[in-house]
Amino acid sequence: MKEEYSHKDFTIPSLDTDAIDRSFQFQKYIDQLKNHDHEIYWIEACSALTPIMKIKDNRSGNVKDVISFVSNDYLGMSQRKETIQAGIDALYKYGTGVCAAPIIGGYLDIHKELENKIAQFTGQEDALLFSSGFGTNVGTLNALLGKNDLALVDTGVHSSVLDGLRGTNVKYIGHNDLDYLDFCLGKVRGNYKTIVVIVDGVYSQDGDLGLIPEINIICKKHKVILLVDDAHGIGVFGNNGRGIAEHYNILGEIDIITGTLSKSFGSVGGFAAGSKQMIQYLRYYANTTVFSASIIPQVTCSVLKALEIINAEPQVRNKLWDNVNYLRKRLQEEGFSTGQSESPIFPILIRDDYKVKEVTRLLLEDNIYTIGIVYPAVRSKDARIRISVTTSHEISQLDKLVSSLCKINERLSFK
């Protein structure tokens, strides 16, 4: 079925109206979602985002149990009794918030401890905490790049990277296109003060890996900075969970690694890790931490405990990979397309925005909660269901997902 409106129709460039009128016009899109029973976003959760969770049905208002594949809590750290207790202890010792930016009094001893341990874990000299993963990329890139500089950016990077580049020059490189990257760097060398190549360790929509060793060699050849956003790699990849650099055996060789605390660490916040000089510079110039209150004590201590568990209990990560490999095998056996995914992120490619919303709706009717990814997050021809697998999922839940997808495919034919 063709939809009359899309998300794109109500963005700033699309409507020649002011913000108030645009917000009223947007109601047309919301009404369309309601008419098609496609209110699959902004669903209200009534429990923790565990594999079995409670959500409120947008139409009936009833609360129901669903099998959830929407959380990036890959190692289940948000629900570990140890991480919860560490957070409780921090609340009693430090209170509910720091209520000051780190540069002007809000820098606690536990912040410093966590920065040191993240630096060691990622193979870098030093690290800096941010109150959000999104703000990590924005603040880091705002500090490093201006009007006389250039960012060469893989087309699959996160939106936070793009927001951090609004004040500089940007050139896009094809996804993992090594030849074009090498060619571009040869052409632009000498034309800018600072050049930064920005890629992901694990790409958040396709679940595939960046070609980091090869990209790193090219960056070294042209003497430019490499920034790797390893939000989805830290805790998951490498023999010890130290991320994509460990996976490729190049720990300590990447100029800057950014990441989040909201995935494998089970909390919220972010970090940048690099040389002592680079991190020292960011402490004074990364605006999203200089002018933002520090991450709260509970988060800090819960993440410290999560990091301790990751180091001490490799079986948690092994269980995750058992689940990932099992689901990949089952989906492939049934003929579903998951692209080039090599991670716990599974894109079930459907390639039609309307069908994605229909599949998401029908999965919800079958008590399975997934995320439909459509334009503008991806191109319409790349529309998909996005599945996140965690160590906390049971095999029976993975089987239920595959069974439900097969049943829906008989109705909609999207394989």
Side-chain angles (χ1 to χ4, degrees):
M1 181 183 296
K2 182 173 176 56
E3 296 176 305
E4 186 176 357
Y5 303 107
S6 77
H7 187 278
K8 181 181 179 181
D9 294 329
F10 305 95
T11 57
I12 291 174
S14 300
L15 287 178
D16 187 21
T17 61
D18 64 27
I20 293 175
D21 185 54
R22 192 164 63 249
S23 66
F24 277 90
Q25 292 289 327
F26 183 64
Q27 187 63 43
K28 297 175 183 177
Y29 180 69
I30 299 301
D31 290 343
Q32 176 179 273
L33 292 178
K34 291 180 178 179
N35 291 337
H36 290 159
D37 200 12
H38 284 169
E39 295 180 274
I40 57 175
Y41 306 109
W42 290 101
I43 290 176
E44 183 179 340
C46 305
S47 69
L49 270 66
T50 49
I52 298 294
M53 61 176 290
K54 296 182 182 295
I55 64 169
K56 183 175 288 187
D57 184 270
N58 275 336
R59 280 203 174 264
S60 68
N62 296 328
V63 175
K64 66 176 184 177
D65 290 335
V66 293
I67 301 173
S68 171
F69 295 94
V70 304
S71 172
N72 296 316
D73 186 11
Y74 295 125
L75 303 179
M77 291 298 161
S78 76
Q79 301 302 306
R80 292 282 298 241
K81 66 178 186 296
E82 303 98 318
T83 58
I84 293 170
Q85 187 60 53
I88 291 170
D89 293 343
L91 282 167
Y92 280 113
K93 180 175 181 179
Y94 295 96
T96 59
V98 179
C99 305
I103 196 171
I104 53 170
Y107 192 47
L108 302 177
D109 53 351
I110 51 175
H111 293 145
K112 182 61 176 175
E113 181 184 358
L114 181 54
E115 288 175 344
N116 288 340
K117 290 187 175 179
I118 286 175
Q120 182 181 22
F121 191 66
T122 57
Q124 304 291 82
E125 291 181 353
D126 202 357
L128 174 64
L129 294 175
F130 292 77
S131 54
S132 78
F134 196 101
T136 299
N137 282 335
V138 172
T140 298
L141 294 169
N142 280 345
L144 298 182
L145 298 168
K147 63 181 181 180
N148 296 319
D149 305 316
L150 174 69
L152 279 80
V153 185
D154 189 288
T155 53
V157 298
H158 191 263
S159 174
S160 58
V161 168
L162 306 184
D163 268 28
L165 298 175
R166 293 183 185 273
T168 193
N169 302 288
V170 179
K171 186 172 183 61
Y172 291 97
I173 52 178
H175 182 50
N176 277 333
D177 191 336
L178 302 176
D179 291 338
Y180 188 60
L181 173 62
D182 191 23
F183 169 78
C184 284
L185 286 173
K187 294 283 286 184
V188 303
R189 188 165 50 187
N191 296 335
Y192 299 92
K193 296 291 186 183
T194 301
I195 298 175
V196 179
V197 174
I198 306 168
V199 298
D200 280 5
V202 181
Y203 285 90
S204 61
Q205 295 302 337
D206 289 326
D208 62 331
L209 307 188
L211 302 178
I212 308 303
E214 297 89 340
I215 293 170
N216 194 40
I217 289 170
I218 292 171
C219 289
K220 295 286 191 288
K221 169 186 171 182
H222 293 281
K223 298 180 179 178
V224 301
I225 296 169
L226 173 60
L227 186 153
V228 176
D229 180 348
D230 204 24
H232 293 271
I234 294 292
V236 173
F237 281 87
N239 290 334
N240 302 289
R242 297 169 71 182
I244 205 70
E246 185 183 38
H247 173 75
Y248 284 126
N249 197 29
I250 55 171
L251 274 171
E253 297 181 27
I254 298 168
D255 297 307
I256 304 171
I257 294 174
T258 62
T260 180
L261 307 178
S262 64
K263 297 178 174 55
S264 290
F265 296 117
S267 196
V268 67
F271 67 87
S275 70
K276 286 189 178 296
Q277 291 76 20
M278 179 62 73
I279 298 304
Q280 178 175 260
Y281 182 82
L282 292 177
R283 287 187 192 281
Y284 286 84
Y285 289 96
N287 56 1
T288 53
T289 191
V290 171
F291 299 104
S292 180
S294 299
I295 62 172
I296 63 175
Q298 173 263 304
V299 162
T300 310
C301 288
S302 290
V303 173
L304 278 167
K305 180 57 69 172
L307 190 51
E308 179 185 317
I309 295 169
I310 291 169
N311 281 319
E313 300 183 20
Q315 64 269 24
V316 176
R317 188 170 55 262
N318 294 339
K319 169 71 168 12
L320 167 66
W321 281 106
D322 287 345
N323 284 345
V324 169
N325 294 330
Y326 179 83
L327 181 60
R328 179 169 291 115
K329 181 174 181 291
R330 291 284 287 112
L331 289 169
Q332 289 175 347
E333 287 174 346
E334 296 295 343
F336 292 104
S337 175
T338 57
Q340 303 300 311
S341 174
E342 300 180 57
S343 71
I345 301 167
F346 286 81
I348 311 295
L349 296 172
I350 296 175
R351 307 183 191 282
D352 179 279
D353 284 1
Y354 182 83
K355 279 189 177 181
V356 163
K357 295 170 188 173
E358 276 291 282
V359 173
T360 305
R361 178 181 69 82
L362 292 170
L363 283 169
L364 268 178
E365 286 186 359
D366 204 18
N367 298 322
I368 296 176
Y369 185 20
T370 62
I371 295 298
I373 307 295
V374 297
Y375 184 90
V378 295
R379 297 174 297 180
S380 294
K381 68 177 183 178
D382 293 324
R384 78 279 302 272
I385 301 293
R386 185 181 183 276
I387 304 295
S388 288
V389 177
T390 72
T391 193
S392 305
H393 282 106
E394 301 298 336
I395 293 298
S396 60
Q397 294 164 345
L398 305 181
D399 284 336
K400 169 69 173 176
L401 169 66
V402 176
S403 174
S404 186
L405 284 169
C406 288
K407 182 171 60 176
I408 295 169
N409 181 69
E410 293 177 3
R411 179 171 171 179
L412 295 180
S413 186
F414 60 87
K415 282 185 183 179

